[in-house]
Amino acid sequence: MQPLNAARLFSSSLAEVAQDQEVKKLSHNIESALGAAEDLIGDLLDISRLESGKFDVHIQSFALNDVLSHLNAEFSALAKQQQIEFHTVFSSVLVKSDPKLMRRVIQNFLTNAFRYTDKGKVLLGVRRVAGAVRIDVWDNGIGIDICSV
């Protein structure tokens, strides 16, 4: 992970000192790609820990809005950069889960929505359905053909 962190720092530094808008844009894209690679490696490590039984899950009650507000801030910046309309529908619901894992799952869905939506909209929302809570990520990207699933 250290080489990726270093590369992201160099890319970020380049964006700060760059005079040309194209160079700034490219350095931001490099930083974003390195961040995605870092996330992927982290996910693979977590899968390995899960399979070996060495992954600690910390179940607790928390306000779902705590997770959603952080994701909203993070992805609002990305939406602005990619010129994608992004909205979050918040909820006052309390859930019992692992907040880190919950954030990671929702973040994964949002990342895919932004990756495959060139122009358009992404919506993150929470609904109560039949006594349960449903978290939805909707987008108008290329999607997956239902017949092929």
Side-chain angles (χ1 to χ4, degrees), residues 124-135:
L124 168 62
V126 179
R127 294 179 194 209
R128 295 173 195 240
V129 178
V133 175
R134 187 173 89 190
I135 302 167

Side-chain angles (χ1 to χ4, degrees), residues 56-62 95-99 101:
D56 293 327
V57 178
H58 302 286
I59 304 292
Q60 62 190 54
S61 293
F62 62 96
V95 295
K96 192 170 185 177
S97 183
D98 183 314
L101 289 176

Side-chain angles (χ1 to χ4, degrees), residues 11-43:
S11 177
S12 179
S13 296
L14 177 61
E16 289 177 12
V17 298
Q19 300 295 321
D20 183 40
Q21 288 298 333
E22 188 64 26
V23 173
K24 284 185 179 191
K25 183 179 177 185
L26 286 172
S27 63
H28 284 295
N29 290 344
I30 291 168
E31 189 175 351
S32 177
L34 290 168
E38 195 174 41
D39 290 343
L40 179 61
I41 290 171
D43 291 345

Side-chain angles (χ1 to χ4, degrees), residues 41-101:
I41 290 171
D43 291 345
L44 291 172
L45 288 172
D46 286 345
I47 290 169
S48 174
R49 287 186 202 116
L50 275 171
E51 288 178 348
S52 68
K54 295 179 182 178
F55 190 83
D56 293 327
V57 178
H58 302 286
I59 304 292
Q60 62 190 54
S61 293
F62 62 96
L64 190 54
N65 273 351
D66 292 345
V67 171
L68 297 181
S69 62
H70 290 290
L71 290 169
N72 183 63
E74 178 183 336
F75 283 91
S76 289
L78 182 62
K80 185 175 182 181
Q81 180 183 14
Q82 293 184 359
Q83 298 179 340
I84 293 174
E85 190 177 326
F86 175 58
H87 297 283
T88 301
V89 178
F90 294 97
S91 171
S92 61
V93 69
L94 295 176
V95 295
K96 192 170 185 177
S97 183
D98 183 314
K100 284 185 178 182
L101 289 176

